[in-house]
Amino acid sequence: MSDNKKQEKDFTSEVDTLLPEAEKLVKAGKLQDALDKLFVLEKQTRNAADLSSTTRLAKAIVQHTYDARNFTLLNSNIQVLSKKHGQLKAVIQAFVEQAIEWLPEIKSRDGLEKWLELVETLRSVTEGKIFLETPRARVTLLLSHHHEGVSKEASTPQKVKESLQTASDLLSDLQVETCDILIAVAIIKDAEEGKGKDAKDTLGGGEAEWVKVRVGGRKVNEQFLTEKENEDLKLKYYDLMIQHALHHSAYLDVAKYYYKVWETPSIKEDVSDKGKSALEHIVYYIVLAPHNNEQSDMLHHLFVDPALAKLELHYNLVKCFVTKELMRWPGIQSIYGGFLRKTQVFKAEKQWEDLHTRVIEHNIRVIAEYYSRIKLERLRSLLDLSLKQTEEILSRLVVSGTIWARIDRPTGIVNFRSKRSAEEVMNDWSSDMQKLLGLVEKTWMGMNAAQAAQARVKAAAGTSS
């Protein structure tokens, strides 16, 4: 199977002569005789690497078989042509695409059984061939839709489950690397709809299903979604990925997906509805996300965005998190609680508790920056927590590497500065001495310049007198 061989001979004239002759034989009821003649010439054109002629002959063989409604022979010929020694890739692509176009007509006119036979034949022919990824994706998507339709007509919950699982597995197992992005997005859409809704309701929301969704989502080239004509696909895709991120409480990912949605021109221009809603959700989920470099960077970029200033309450909430000052939880509750608890995001108790946790973590980071040591009782009062809660959250931040701290239980003191080595002390001393000497030198030069200026003034005064 190769397209690298150089064409040795042009069979255009022979093909032009044979095709009408074969058509006459088919009309006379001699289908096999016509196919035999076409196969003989096809072998010659294939061995001579005549791509154009081989393609015409292969398509003619498949077309005559289809017109005769001999589906057994049609499936056989597709298999045989794809396995011919030295068959050109473009030839296989041509007759596979031709067969895919017949699928809707076969399903409506010849019945589901014939349709399934051809679908399985095409899936068999395209399996493992990277140059046939797009056709395989399209055929697999059709087959998945079929099983999804079967689930809606199933009479028992077990059959519904089996059909949906089959549809899900077909899409999840599909290898899509270079296929058309439209097919990839359709695959993710169906996979997520099936797994997000059906896995939750029918399959019990198994974690394995959500893993498949994550793997499938990575197959989509997000760069393609930035093009204007793919805007609808972009919004569908990110809506599904938001559902997946929320399932795992990955708040930072949710914020990033909403940011992608907000960057969409049609959404950003709609400042009163969809654009405003997207920006609000970015704020909600970025403050809910655990602190790290990426979250901090995104939070500060959002804070300076002019669009956020138009949402006064949300702007002030973000300002609380970017300002290195303590946020007392009772104050946050009184100012923002009434509004936030009415939103869909913070109606859930989990999200509200997560916000409380983020406020506490922010306060601990601020305290760690301004204090080298602090009494545990004082820290507890600043955080509005019990001693046990204070120790638990402090320990979690230390383990995650957000801060450095040690608790001296007998004395009840928290130390936020690690013991420095002699080398570190000497390096700091050396740096301080260099700064001091630099200031001394700068001062000395300034004094010299002032003295020189005074001397010139006195000299000029003496001369004039």
Side-chain angles (χ1 to χ4, degrees):
M1 194 181 300
S2 174
D3 286 347
N4 298 325
K5 186 179 178 182
K6 187 177 179 180
Q7 183 174 340
E8 298 174 359
K9 183 180 178 181
D10 188 355
F11 284 88
T12 302
S13 58
E14 288 88 339
V15 174
D16 290 339
T17 303
L18 180 60
L19 289 180
E21 182 182 338
E23 190 173 350
K24 289 179 181 179
L25 288 171
V26 171
K27 290 180 179 178
K30 300 178 180 179
L31 175 62
Q32 193 58 52
D33 292 342
L35 294 179
D36 289 342
K37 290 190 175 185
L38 290 171
F39 270 116
V40 170
L41 186 57
E42 185 273 338
K43 180 179 180 180
Q44 298 175 30
T45 59
R46 172 166 37 86
N47 291 333
D50 185 352
L51 175 60
S52 176
S53 299
T54 308
T55 302
R56 292 172 64 192
L57 290 169
K59 292 180 72 173
I61 292 169
V62 176
Q63 184 69 54
H64 289 316
T65 314
Y66 172 68
D67 292 339
R69 289 294 182 271
N70 190 335
F71 289 99
T72 303
L73 189 57
L74 173 63
N75 293 323
S76 174
N77 285 339
I78 291 174
Q79 292 275 13
V80 169
L81 285 169
S82 67
K83 295 178 180 178
K84 289 284 188 181
H85 176 69
Q87 186 62 277
L88 303 172
K89 295 178 182 178
V91 175
I92 303 176
Q93 287 176 318
F95 66 73
V96 166
E97 292 285 355
Q98 182 184 22
I100 291 175
E101 293 175 1
W102 298 330
L103 288 172
E105 183 182 355
I106 293 173
K107 193 172 186 178
S108 60
R109 186 169 68 175
D110 301 292
L112 185 61
E113 184 179 350
K114 302 297 182 185
W115 181 84
L116 287 172
E117 288 177 1
L118 182 56
V119 166
E120 289 301 333
T121 298
L122 292 173
R123 278 173 45 79
S124 174
V125 168
T126 56
E127 185 177 7
K129 298 180 177 67
I130 193 169
F131 63 95
L132 291 174
E133 277 187 338
T134 299
R136 180 173 177 79
R138 290 173 179 155
V139 173
T140 303
L141 186 58
L142 291 173
L143 186 58
S144 177
H145 282 156
H146 163 70
H147 285 289
E148 188 178 351
V150 170
S151 70
K152 295 176 182 178
E153 300 173 0
S155 56
T156 63
Q158 182 62 28
K159 290 183 179 180
V160 172
K161 178 179 177 179
E162 290 174 357
S163 297
L164 288 173
Q165 186 65 54
T166 303
S168 170
D169 291 342
L170 282 168
L171 295 172
S172 300
D173 295 339
L174 191 63
Q175 297 298 317
V176 182
E177 303 298 337
T178 61
C179 82
D180 183 64
I181 193 65
L182 176 64
I183 301 302
V185 173
I187 288 168
I188 300 307
K189 177 179 182 297
D190 278 78
E192 290 238 29
E193 284 179 350
K195 298 179 182 92
K197 175 184 68 178
D198 301 318
K200 191 183 297 180
D201 299 337
T202 309
L203 305 177
E207 190 62 30
E209 300 301 319
W210 289 104
V211 172
K212 292 179 183 178
V213 173
R214 185 178 71 250
V215 173
R218 291 172 180 171
K219 296 177 181 179
V220 176
N221 180 7
E222 295 185 15
Q223 184 62 34
F224 188 88
L225 298 176
T226 59
E227 298 179 11
K228 189 173 182 180
E229 59 269 22
N230 300 317
E231 205 168 274
D232 290 341
L233 290 173
K234 175 182 178 180
L235 296 178
K236 290 177 184 177
Y237 169 74
Y238 283 117
D239 178 57
L240 295 167
M241 296 311 293
I242 286 169
Q243 294 177 36
H244 173 260
L246 284 174
H247 175 75
H248 294 284
S249 298
Y251 296 131
L252 182 59
D253 288 340
V254 177
K256 289 192 288 186
Y257 293 142
Y258 269 114
Y259 199 88
K260 294 286 187 181
V261 171
W262 184 62
E263 286 180 328
T264 307
S266 63
I267 300 296
K268 204 166 190 176
E269 292 167 4
D270 189 2
V271 294
S272 61
D273 186 17
K274 294 181 180 178
K276 180 183 176 183
S277 176
L279 188 56
E280 289 174 348
H281 280 81
I282 294 171
V283 172
Y284 299 151
Y285 288 109
I286 194 63
V287 299
L288 280 173
H291 176 80
N292 56 38
N293 291 337
E294 188 177 10
Q295 185 268 353
S296 179
D297 182 67
M298 188 174 178
L299 186 67
H300 282 78
H301 275 86
L302 180 64
F303 178 63
V304 299
D305 196 306
L308 183 63
K310 298 175 183 178
L311 305 176
E312 184 179 356
L313 205 63
H314 299 79
Y315 174 83
N316 290 333
L317 179 62
V318 173
K319 185 179 180 180
C320 291
F321 279 91
V322 298
T323 306
K324 293 181 179 180
E325 295 178 0
L326 292 179
M327 291 189 288
R328 303 300 291 266
W329 179 243
I332 295 295
Q333 283 183 307
S334 62
I335 298 172
Y336 303 102
F339 170 75
L340 292 177
R341 291 293 272 178
K342 293 177 182 178
T343 63
Q344 196 65 35
V345 175
F346 290 102
K347 276 183 180 179
E349 198 62 34
K350 182 182 184 302
Q351 274 78 9
W352 187 246
E353 288 299 322
D354 286 341
L355 178 63
H356 186 195
T357 302
R358 300 298 168 252
V359 170
I360 296 169
E361 291 174 352
H362 168 83
N363 290 339
I364 291 178
R365 290 196 303 274
V366 171
I367 293 170
E369 187 162 339
Y370 290 110
Y371 285 82
S372 59
R373 303 170 72 198
I374 188 172
K375 288 189 175 182
L376 193 58
E377 181 61 32
R378 174 60 174 162
L379 179 62
R380 180 203 68 76
S381 65
L382 291 175
L383 299 178
D384 299 300
L385 297 173
S386 66
L387 284 174
K388 183 179 180 181
Q389 290 173 320
T390 302
E391 288 187 8
E392 286 178 354
I393 295 179
L394 189 61
S395 299
R396 187 169 67 244
L397 291 179
V398 171
V399 170
S400 65
T402 304
I403 62 170
W404 189 97
R406 291 290 184 270
I407 301 176
D408 186 345
R409 286 181 178 277
T411 59
I413 293 177
V414 181
N415 190 347
F416 289 111
R417 299 290 182 269
S418 61
K419 187 177 180 180
R420 298 190 301 171
S421 64
E423 290 81 3
E424 290 175 330
V425 174
M426 289 300 297
N427 287 337
D428 286 348
W429 180 84
S430 174
S431 176
D432 291 341
M433 287 300 297
Q434 288 178 358
K435 290 178 183 178
L436 177 61
L437 292 174
L439 290 172
V440 170
E441 184 179 1
K442 186 177 180 180
T443 304
W444 177 77
M445 291 175 66
M447 291 173 61
N448 283 344
Q451 290 174 353
Q454 289 178 357
R456 285 195 298 270
V457 170
K458 288 181 179 179
T463 305
S464 61
S465 63

